[in-house]
């Protein structure tokens, strides 16, 4: 049995940062990922990372923008920590070798981003997430004696001891199908978000909410699960992301009549209002017949100087070319709001600690909450790094001097039996996993998206419950051990359905409009009743609702205009 | 919607059988990708079809495969275009052929073992920044263009398409290879790294290092991200030679100088001069050969004979000094002018930032684009 002081599950930015931070504390660290670490979805963060590093900027300003962006649902103590620690973290990355853009003096240079009152987004062309993640992976290779990497190990469940503490995890080695029980004094979940629950989505195929589901089933509380971000600029049909950096560089949004419609919705910030605002504006234009026949509006990047496009938006030039057949330097590209980010997740404190002893969560899987009802662009990378590091530090501290974990062998037996049952299902006995997954995605995108109402969410919830039943008998073709992606797909479907159920329950329950949750039947924000988090715990195989307060420090809720 | 046939090279390791071909009929929009086609086959027909994939948007680097023999990302190759290429090659209704990447062991179907080849080689180049001393309080101050320059190799997503297509690696499996060398340039070109010269010494003197590349351009064709690994290898060579004058055990620097000099004086490659100029350059080199020159020359004879036998070197008479044909007219003067221009404009040209150099809509001026090629003459024939 592999045994570590700190076991990190997930190797995107949050996971890698946590592993490196824990290793600095001289504890034994293992990092597990169902794909090779550099395949993780942090790659997709194009635009940049926010930090109030310039002397004329301040963490208070960054914090206020974040809190306003969150529609006052973010916990202000957590936002303060994130924004205060941002400059130091950014410089740390620069020192490790991230090739951040420089100004003409050779110093770190910035670009503008949505919802921000200062240009405080630091970037590497439009591959910021990829650049940071590959540099962190360089560090993991450097410290391979200190951090054991388990690449292409799929985590099927957490090991919880009799006292309710997390003491490890069970994983399937994707390459040969062997199952292993990992013992750990502290376990950090860094498994990312759940975008695949929606179709289409900007998220990678691996973003199936694994950690959210596993934590929930292990007794952890989920928070703000109704808060799902729709990004304003995604390619219709395929869901590919066009970075907010494009608007940061000055691109315009136009409806089919050629109007710069954001004038009507956010006269001051225009295209750079926060994402929920811009997505709603676009969807309104589309719904009211001012979009294009393919259900889109246009993003006009041609107004950005070509030199600048090639230097700063290179990836978008390629995306336009390869996936839409459009030369974005010459013509506008059709876009629409698309599923993008999970603001909610496993509830943690500012050290990444969940309510389950020994279990931590960081990054998109977690909900600290620094994003509340709506995440600002370029705050996600920051979230992963700050709370990844803090989780790593605290998890290492907790592990020191503690007796080695002794997870029960029965956890492994249970997980083996569960997979054995899936492998043993008779062919043709039920629906195919892919069919169920598709129906789930389309249902959620139809009913639990930019605009929501009670009837729609109820329809979605009923569908999810039916699909949960159907998933129990989904059959798969592959009975083998080596790279059996079919079996893993069946497990992921289960995770996704848990996520979907939680989102529907919370979205139905929150009878107001705040951030990404816009209820057409309750169009106003209602601070009196709803300035609070919805918490969900797993009881009798369904989410049980409770509430927790939003932590306020110095920013009182105001009306939100951009 | 259109119908396509994918002919997939499959291997099911637990079956006890060898690799085999299987065709899948799929229906999808021509603008969707080969990966979408594979996933449709997997979803509808056979869930055991193994292919690594994640982002679907050419960012994660998972789905490197060979499509119609060309290494590429399945998600970045439109199925309609792949079909056209298949038709062109086979002149009709041929299927789109999908195989696992080359130069790597196959684990199952389209899944290859990247650890044993690709990642081992990446780790070979000490792939992390080695700065001097403690970091500054704020950021390192570096020229802005240096960051743009190495951002080209940072754009690498480690998909392995270049490794898969690398002809040198086919001949020498120990070749460090295009991906790892591009990664090496990311540090060599980084002004924050303090071990530039050590890195270059290491890569120049390794018999499987920077001089093992034969300029075949396959990696540039295969790379889905415009990293142009061969260009990065050439940058490493120029830093090793022009930058640090590293006189390597592979005779790489002298061989490169020989190429440059021969083309400068003859316009095309005079193969009769190549070996002697590589080992004993100029009159001085011949009158007072440096230690090892004669030995090196003699050791190269078998290679030359193999080159002649295989037709790689053109013919025996071409090896007689003095009969190499001159360029017609004033072509030779033009070649010299290109050299002069290159020397006057000896700034490293990173084509990655072409858009920045160009004025609105103006194409890159010919003269700007030429020097890089002139500094690195491509051997039209003969060893590189």
């Amino acid at each position: 049995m592999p045994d570590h002081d700190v076991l990190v599950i997930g190797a995107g930015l949050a996971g890698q940062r946590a592993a490196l931070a824990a290793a600095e504390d001289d504890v034994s660290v293992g990092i597990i990922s169902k794909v090779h670490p550099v395949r993780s979805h942090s790659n997709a963060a194009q635009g940049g990372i926010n930090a109030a590093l310039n002397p004329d900027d301040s963490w208070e300003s960054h914090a206020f923008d974040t809190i306003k962006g969150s529609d006052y649902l973010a916990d202000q103590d957590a936002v303060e920590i994130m924004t205060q620690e941002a400059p130091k973290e950014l410089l740390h990355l620069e020192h490790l070798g991230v090739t951040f853009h420089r100004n003409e003096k050779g110093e770190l240079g910035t670009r503008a981003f949505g919802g921000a009152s200062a240009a405080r987004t630091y970037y590497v062309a439009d591959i910021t997430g990829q650049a940071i993640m590959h540099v962190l992976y360089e560090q993991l290779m450097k410290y391979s004696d200190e951090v054991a990497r388990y690449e292409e190990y799929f985590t099927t469940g957490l090991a919880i001891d009799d006292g309710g503490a997390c003491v490890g995890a069970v994983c399937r080695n994707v390459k040969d199908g062997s199952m292993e029980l990992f013992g750990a004094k502290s376990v950090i979940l860094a498994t990312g978000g759940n975008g695949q629950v929606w179709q289409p989505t900007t998220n990678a195929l691996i973003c199936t909410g694994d950690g959210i589901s596993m934590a929930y089933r292990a007794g952890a509380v989920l928070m703000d699960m109704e808060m799902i971000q729709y990004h304003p600029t995604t390619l219709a049909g395929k869901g590919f992301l066009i970075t907010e950096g494009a608007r940061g560089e000055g691109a315009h949004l136009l409806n089919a009549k050629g109007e710069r419609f954001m004038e009507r919705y956010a006269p001051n910030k225009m295209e750079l209002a926060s994402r929920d605002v811009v997505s709603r504006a676009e969807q309104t234009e589309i719904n009211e017949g001012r979009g294009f026949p393919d259900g889109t509006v246009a993003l006009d990047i041609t107004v950005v100087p070509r030199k600048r496009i090639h230097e700063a938006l290179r990836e978008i030039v390629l995306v336009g070319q390869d996936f839409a057949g459009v030369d974005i330097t010459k013509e506008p590209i059709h876009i629409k709001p698309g599923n993008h980010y999970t603001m909610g997740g496993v509830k943690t404190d500012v050290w990444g600690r969940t309510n389950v002893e020994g279990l931590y969560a960081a990054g998109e899987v977690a909900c600290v909450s620094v994003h509340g009802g709506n995440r600002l662009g370029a705050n996600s990378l920051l979230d992963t790094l700050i709370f990844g590091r803090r989780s790593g530090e605290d998890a290492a501290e907790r592990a020191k001097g503690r007796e080695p974990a002794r997870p029960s062998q029965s956890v492994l037996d249970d997980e083996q039996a569960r997979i054995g049952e899936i492998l043993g299902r008779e062919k043709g006995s039920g629906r195919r996993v892919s069919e169920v997954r598709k129906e789930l995605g389309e249902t959620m995108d139809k009913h639990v998206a930019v605009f929501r109402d009670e009837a729609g969410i109820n329809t979605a919830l009923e569908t999810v419950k039916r699909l949960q039943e159907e998933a129990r008998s989904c059959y798969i073709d592959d009975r083998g051990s080596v790279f059996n992606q079919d079996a893993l797909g069946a497990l992921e479907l289960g995770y996704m359905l848990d996520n979907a159920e939680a989102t529907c329950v919370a979205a139905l329950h929150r009878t107001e409009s705040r951030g990404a949750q816009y209820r057409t039947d309750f169009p106003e924000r209602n601070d009196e009743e709803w300035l609070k988090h919805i918490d969900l715990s797993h009881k009798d195989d369904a989410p049980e609702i409770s509430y927790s307060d939003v932590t306020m420090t110095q920013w009182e809720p105001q009306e939100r205009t951009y | 919607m259109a119908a396509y046939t994918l002919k997939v090279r499959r291997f099911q390791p637990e079956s006890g059988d060898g690799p085999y071909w299987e065709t899948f009929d799929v229906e999808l929009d021509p603008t969707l990708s080969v990966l979408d086609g594979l996933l449709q086959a997997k979803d509808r027909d056979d869930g055991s079809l193994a292919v690594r994939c994640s982002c679907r948007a050419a960012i994660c680097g998972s789905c490197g495969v060979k499509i119609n023999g060309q290494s590429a990302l399945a998600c970045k190759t439109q199925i309609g275009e792949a079909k056209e290429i298949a038709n062109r090659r086979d002149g009709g209704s041929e299927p789109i052929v999908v195989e696992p990447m080359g130069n790597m062991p196959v684990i199952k179907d389209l899944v290859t073992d990247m650890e044993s080849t690709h990642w081992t080689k990446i780790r070979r180049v000490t792939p992390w920044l080695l700065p001097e001393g403690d970091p500054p309080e704020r950021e390192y101050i570096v020229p802005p263009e240096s960051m743009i320059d190495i951002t080209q190799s940072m754009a690498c997503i480690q998909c392995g398409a270049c490794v898969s297509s690398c002809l040198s690696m086919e001949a020498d499996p120990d070749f460090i290879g295009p991906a790892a060398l591009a990664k090496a340039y990311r540090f060599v070109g980084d002004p924050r790294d303090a071990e530039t010269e050590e890195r270059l010494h290491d890569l120049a003197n390794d018999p499987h290092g920077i001089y093992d590349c034969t300029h075949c351009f396959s990696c540039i064709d295969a790379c889905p991200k415009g990293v142009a690994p061969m260009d990065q290898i050439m940058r490493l060579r120029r830093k090793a030679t022009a930058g640090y004058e590293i006189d390597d055990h592979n005779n790489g620097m002298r061989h490169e100088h020989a190429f440059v000099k021969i083309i400068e004086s003859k316009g095309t490659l005079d193969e009769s001069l190549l070996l002697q100029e590589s080992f004993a350059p100029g009159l001085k080199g011949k009158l007072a050969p440096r230690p090892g020159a004669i030995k090196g020359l003699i050791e190269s004879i078998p290679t030359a004979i193999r080159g002649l036998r295989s037709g790689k070197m053109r013919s025996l008479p071409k090896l007689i000094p003095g009969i190499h044909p001159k360029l017609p007219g004033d072509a030779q003067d033009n070649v010299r002018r290109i050299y002069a221009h290159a020397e006057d404009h000896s700034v490293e040209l990173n084509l990655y930032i072409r858009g920045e150099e160009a004025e609105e809509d103006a194409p890159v001026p010919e003269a700007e684009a030429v020097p890089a090629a002139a500094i690195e003459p491509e051997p039209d024939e003969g060893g590189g």
Side-chain angles (χ1 to χ4, degrees):
Chain A
M1 181 183 82
D3 189 73
H4 292 284
D5 292 323
V6 176
L7 186 66
V8 183
I9 303 173
L13 277 185
Q16 294 194 31
R17 187 68 186 88
L20 289 166
E24 270 179 48
D25 231 346
D26 284 332
V27 297
S28 125
V29 183
I31 185 165
I32 291 172
S33 173
K34 67 176 176 177
V35 291
H36 187 283
V38 304
R39 314 291 175 222
S40 304
H41 190 57
S42 307
N43 266 335
Q46 297 168 340
I49 174 167
N50 287 333
L53 179 66
N54 278 335
D56 53 355
D57 198 358
S58 69
W59 71 262
E60 289 92 343
S61 164
H62 183 187
F64 172 71
D65 290 342
T66 302
I67 289 159
K68 180 183 172 190
S70 82
D71 220 347
Y72 296 92
L73 190 63
D75 287 309
Q76 299 185 0
D77 55 338
V79 175
E80 288 188 4
I81 286 171
M82 181 175 82
T83 53
Q84 283 168 356
E85 294 184 357
K88 191 171 156 238
E89 187 65 29
L90 184 84
L91 290 174
H92 175 66
L93 295 173
E94 198 278 327
H95 295 155
L96 292 182
V98 178
T99 55
F100 284 114
H101 171 82
R102 307 288 161 148
N103 62 23
E104 60 291 346
K105 284 188 258 169
E107 302 157 342
L108 293 170
T110 58
R111 69 162 40 130
F113 237 64
S117 47
R120 64 168 73 93
T121 303
Y122 294 85
Y123 64 99
V124 181
D126 52 2
I127 57 166
T128 314
Q130 177 190 326
I132 297 175
M133 195 167 72
H134 282 245
V135 167
L136 288 193
Y137 189 69
E138 289 168 10
Q139 296 297 309
L140 279 186
M141 291 190 278
K142 180 177 177 185
Y143 293 108
S144 51
D145 289 342
E146 290 81 3
V147 183
R149 302 193 301 274
Y150 302 93
E151 296 168 351
E152 297 189 317
Y153 276 68
F154 184 104
T155 306
T156 68
L158 299 172
I160 304 295
D161 71 8
D162 294 338
C166 185
V167 287
V170 177
C171 300
R172 180 178 168 99
N173 182 343
V174 179
K175 285 183 206 97
D176 62 14
S178 61
M179 301 280 289
E180 272 188 275
L181 178 61
F182 285 72
K185 297 176 189 169
S186 306
V187 175
I188 302 173
L189 284 172
T191 52
N194 61 19
Q196 281 294 320
V197 173
W198 284 259
Q199 293 297 342
T201 174
T202 63
N203 283 202
L205 295 166
I206 54 173
C207 301
T208 46
D210 304 12
I212 293 175
S213 166
M214 285 188 284
Y216 167 69
R217 290 192 171 259
V221 173
L222 306 182
M223 186 166 88
D224 297 348
M225 285 298 287
E226 68 279 25
M227 298 303 179
I228 298 295
Q229 181 165 79
Y230 267 60
H231 193 286
T233 53
T234 70
L235 286 186
K238 302 177 188 179
F240 293 151
L241 178 66
I242 307 286
T243 175
E244 184 164 306
R247 283 170 288 136
E249 299 291 342
H252 295 169
L253 287 169
L254 306 173
N255 62 19
K257 296 160 131 180
E259 294 166 340
R260 230 181 128 186
F261 57 85
M262 284 311 296
E263 280 167 4
R264 289 199 292 278
Y265 303 89
N268 297 316
K269 297 295 284 186
M270 298 290 285
E271 282 83 359
L272 288 177
S274 70
R275 288 177 176 175
D276 57 328
V277 172
V278 180
S279 284
R280 268 196 297 281
E282 290 176 4
Q283 197 61 50
T284 305
E285 292 294 305
I286 294 164
N287 291 353
E288 293 178 359
R290 291 186 295 277
F292 293 96
D294 58 347
T296 60
V297 290
L299 177 69
D300 184 5
I301 310 176
T302 63
V303 294
V304 180
R306 287 192 69 195
K307 165 177 177 278
R308 188 65 191 151
I309 296 180
H310 283 286
E311 178 187 284
L313 300 171
R314 179 175 176 273
E315 188 66 32
I316 296 312
V317 175
L318 296 177
V319 166
Q321 224 171 64
D322 297 329
F323 299 110
V326 171
D327 180 352
I328 59 146
T329 64
K330 297 214 171 83
E331 54 181 320
I333 186 165
H334 286 200
I335 49 88
K336 62 180 284 194
N339 173 279
H340 182 59
Y341 188 83
T342 316
M343 265 81 70
V346 183
K347 180 181 176 132
T348 72
D349 67 8
V350 296
W351 290 100
R353 295 180 280 224
T354 72
N355 61 304
V356 174
E357 179 74 11
L359 182 65
Y360 293 75
E364 196 171 343
V365 64
C367 183
V368 189
S369 153
V370 285
H371 308 305
N374 171 67
R375 172 175 71 75
L376 288 195
N379 264 356
S380 63
L381 291 182
L382 185 59
D383 171 19
T384 62
L385 294 161
I386 298 290
F387 294 103
R389 173 177 55 71
R390 291 173 72 90
S391 299
E393 286 170 1
D394 198 73
E397 208 50 51
R398 180 183 182 278
K400 279 185 183 168
R402 202 170 269 273
E403 287 295 303
R406 300 248 176 271
S408 155
Q409 184 68 25
S410 67
V411 186
L412 178 61
D413 297 341
D414 290 351
E415 290 300 302
Q416 266 168 336
R418 193 157 73 95
I419 292 178
E421 188 273 318
I422 293 170
L423 293 173
R425 286 177 198 163
E426 193 111 352
K427 199 163 177 168
S429 62
R431 299 179 78 188
R432 291 182 76 83
V433 170
S434 54
E435 279 172 34
V436 176
R437 190 166 165 155
K438 185 160 177 270
E439 187 179 350
L440 172 66
E442 287 169 357
T443 304
M444 294 299 283
D445 190 57
K446 188 166 174 199
H447 297 297
V448 197
V450 176
F451 292 112
R452 309 164 172 184
D453 63 20
E454 187 182 338
I457 304 169
N458 264 324
T459 306
L461 184 56
E462 281 159 24
T463 308
V464 168
K465 285 181 175 161
R466 171 171 54 78
L467 296 177
Q468 281 173 333
E469 274 309 309
E470 292 176 357
R472 282 186 238 285
S473 60
C474 276
Y475 73 94
I476 56 172
D477 300 321
D478 198 338
R479 311 281 152 131
S481 304
V482 178
F483 251 87
N484 187 337
Q485 297 171 315
D486 225 6
L488 303 182
L491 295 173
E492 286 175 337
L493 178 63
Y495 297 147
M496 286 160 66
L497 287 162
D498 280 347
N499 280 262
E501 184 183 19
T503 294
C504 289
V505 166
L508 193 61
H509 195 68
R510 184 178 284 279
T511 48
E512 66 150 359
S513 291
R514 180 184 301 272
Q517 155 98 343
Y518 192 93
R519 289 279 301 258
T520 52
D521 43 357
F522 298 94
E524 300 298 323
R525 189 174 85 191
N526 179 350
D527 285 340
E528 216 160 287
E529 264 184 89
W530 283 111
L531 190 58
K532 59 187 176 191
H533 299 288
I534 295 177
D535 295 347
L536 302 172
S537 359
H538 186 237
K539 287 274 155 60
D540 305 324
D541 220 26
E544 185 183 72
I545 296 170
S546 59
Y547 307 102
S548 55
D549 292 335
V550 174
T551 309
M552 306 288 234
T553 56
Q554 47 176 309
W555 294 279
E556 284 300 313
Q558 301 168 9
E559 198 197 339
R560 197 157 154 261
T561 53
Y562 284 99
Chain B
M1 281 288 196
Y4 299 95
T5 303
L6 295 169
K7 182 179 170 186
V8 183
R9 185 183 154 96
R10 300 202 61 183
F11 172 61
Q12 295 277 319
E14 293 161 275
S15 68
D17 299 329
Y20 60 99
W21 293 99
E22 185 169 359
T23 55
F24 295 96
D25 292 323
V26 295
E27 282 162 22
L28 61 166
D29 194 274
T31 63
L32 290 177
S33 68
V34 171
L35 178 65
D36 290 318
L38 290 167
L39 290 178
Q40 192 180 97
K42 192 176 163 80
D43 284 350
R44 278 203 212 158
D45 304 324
D46 186 356
S48 75
L49 174 61
V51 55
R52 283 196 188 97
C53 55
S54 181
C55 75
R56 304 159 296 136
I59 307 169
C60 77
S62 300
C63 65
V65 291
K66 277 187 185 172
I67 299 166
N68 299 318
Q70 170 70 30
S71 300
L73 290 179
C75 73
K76 195 173 178 278
T77 309
Q78 291 192 355
I79 197 160
E81 284 176 10
K83 175 65 183 158
E84 276 171 35
I85 289 167
N87 284 349
R88 226 176 290 153
R89 207 182 41 178
D90 297 314
S93 56
E94 289 301 312
I96 298 162
V97 178
V98 187
E99 299 166 86
M101 286 196 287
N103 287 330
M104 298 173 208
V106 176
I107 294 176
K108 177 180 174 180
D109 294 337
L110 300 172
V111 175
T112 58
D113 176 8
M114 289 192 68
E115 172 55 31
S116 69
T117 44
H118 177 80
W119 288 107
T120 309
K121 288 168 192 289
I122 293 285
R123 290 194 292 271
R124 157 71 185 81
V125 302
T126 318
W128 47 80
L129 194 74
L130 294 167
E132 196 173 2
D134 292 330
E137 202 159 295
R138 289 271 307 203
E139 67 270 38
Y140 288 98
I141 304 298
V142 296
E145 57 275 15
S146 68
M147 287 294 112
I148 294 176
D149 177 39
I150 54 173
T151 293
Q152 183 174 23
S153 42
M154 278 309 301
C156 171
I157 55 175
Q158 311 293 347
C159 67
C162 60
V163 174
S164 165
S165 72
C166 177
L167 297 176
S168 289
M169 204 180 282
E170 231 176 281
D172 172 16
D174 291 334
F175 176 36
I176 295 175
L181 290 174
K183 184 80 175 171
Y185 184 75
R186 171 252 176 288
F187 301 103
V188 166
D190 193 326
R192 296 169 295 186
D193 194 275
E195 307 281 321
T196 311
E197 193 168 355
E198 291 79 355
R199 288 178 189 274
L200 287 169
H201 266 286
D202 172 36
L203 299 172
N205 282 306
D206 188 322
H208 314 288
I210 50 179
Y211 294 113
D212 213 4
C213 165
T214 59
H215 302 225
C216 76
F217 283 78
S218 290
C219 59
I220 295 186
D221 283 348
C223 177
K225 303 303 285 188
V227 173
M230 190 190 89
D231 288 354
Q232 312 306 327
I233 299 174
M234 295 309 125
R235 288 202 179 98
L236 289 170
R237 285 194 190 174
R238 283 197 286 283
K239 286 236 179 196
T241 55
Y244 290 88
E245 297 282 333
I246 294 173
D247 189 1
D248 55 284
H249 298 312
N250 298 308
N251 209 40
M253 181 183 80
R254 284 162 207 277
H255 192 61
E256 176 159 319
H257 284 173
F259 263 105
V260 175
K261 275 186 69 183
I262 293 168
I263 303 287
E264 185 178 19
S265 64
K266 305 250 172 174
T268 54
L269 185 66
D270 182 348
E271 285 159 346
S272 66
L273 300 178
L274 187 57
L275 275 180
Q276 43 168 309
E277 285 303 307
S278 291
F279 286 101
L283 193 61
K284 193 172 155 238
K286 289 175 188 67
L287 291 175
R290 66 187 174 86
I294 308 285
K295 188 167 168 269
L297 254 173
I298 292 168
E299 281 173 358
S300 298
I301 289 171
T303 311
I305 292 172
R306 273 203 305 279
L308 274 169
R309 281 208 182 131
S310 64
K312 197 175 181 222
M313 272 158 81
R314 286 174 292 184
S315 66
L316 202 54
K318 290 276 164 69
L319 292 186
I320 300 165
I323 70 157
H324 186 76
K326 286 195 164 51
L327 286 183
D330 58 356
Q332 187 56 45
D333 291 335
N334 283 335
V335 170
R336 289 212 181 85
R337 270 201 291 279
I338 292 171
Y339 270 65
H341 183 95
E343 261 165 42
D344 292 347
H345 301 76
S346 61
V347 213
E348 177 65 51
L349 260 188
N350 185 349
L351 297 180
Y352 181 71
I353 53 170
R354 173 162 24 192
E356 199 178 31
E357 308 265 319
E359 288 301 306
E360 292 293 290
D361 286 317
V364 183
E366 254 333 272
E368 291 284 317
V370 167
I375 295 166
E376 284 304 320
E378 298 310 326
D380 50 351
E381 280 155 84

